[in-house]
Amino acid sequence: DLVLEGFARFHREVPDDVALVFTGAIANAQGAFDRAQRKIGMLGIRDRVVTTGFLAEKALQVILENAEAVIVTSFYEGFPQSMVEAFAAGAAVIATDRGGIPEVAGEAAVIIDPYDPTALAEALKRLLGNDVERELYVEKGYERIREFTSQRAAQETLAVYRTVLKV
């Protein structure tokens, strides 16, 4: 709901040619797709939302490389790989303030409350309405991923598992 409502608010205030592209589970989860489609219709953004489902790695890479912003909405993710992939692809990132996201994002993403669609709309306006600021976040994203090596990601993921499993 956050993404759809936030995008609808953004779209009402800044009507332009921006589209929202949903990738991943929403198109495959039983009932979730139908609920999302009803919500999209209610919000009047059907012509601005594309739902792809899960994509091959190359197709996802093309979408990320052409995105002006990526929204990462996880509540519990320890290491948000999708955010790191967005940084690497050169997209500005808007992310929630839950789980390990803020720690991994550092200063490289606009951080929002996952229950506040107005905050998402404002973040979209901030990044999509200001090329200089968006590029600043893209550069911060590139800087941030340089701090993460495969080894570090593996170590941090292992640490999360150890914490969860109390090993």
Side-chain angles (χ1 to χ4, degrees), residues 117-159:
T118 300
L120 176 57
E122 292 300 318
L124 286 166
K125 282 193 291 189
R126 181 175 164 188
L127 293 178
L128 301 182
N130 184 331
D131 291 343
V132 172
E133 186 160 7
R134 184 176 61 253
E135 284 304 314
L136 176 67
Y137 276 95
V138 168
E139 287 305 315
K140 287 179 178 182
Y142 286 139
E143 290 170 17
R144 191 69 176 143
I145 61 168
R146 282 193 280 278
E147 297 174 25
F148 293 102
T149 64
S150 297
Q151 182 179 9
R152 182 172 176 186
Q155 289 170 341
E156 290 182 8
T157 301
L158 181 59

Side-chain angles (χ1 to χ4, degrees), residues 110-124:
V110 177
I111 303 295
I112 62 167
D113 179 336
Y115 296 104
D116 187 354
T118 300
L120 176 57
E122 292 300 318
L124 286 166

Side-chain angles (χ1 to χ4, degrees), residues 14-75:
V14 186
D16 59 14
D17 62 350
V18 174
L20 175 65
V21 179
F22 267 108
T23 63
I26 185 97
N28 300 328
Q30 184 176 17
F33 181 76
D34 293 336
R35 284 190 302 279
Q37 289 301 316
R38 282 193 298 276
K39 184 82 166 186
I40 289 165
M42 274 180 22
L43 294 169
I45 55 174
R46 190 169 307 283
D47 62 333
R48 294 283 173 218
V49 178
V50 177
T51 307
T52 68
F54 285 105
L55 296 171
E57 190 173 324
K58 286 186 182 244
L60 181 59
Q61 187 65 30
V62 168
I63 287 175
L64 290 173
E65 288 172 355
N66 288 285
E68 293 192 34
V70 171
I71 305 166
V72 178
T73 59
S74 177
F75 280 80

Side-chain angles (χ1 to χ4, degrees), residues 157-167:
T157 301
L158 181 59
V160 169
Y161 284 121
R162 284 183 176 155
T163 300
V164 170
L165 298 173
K166 297 179 176 143
V167 176

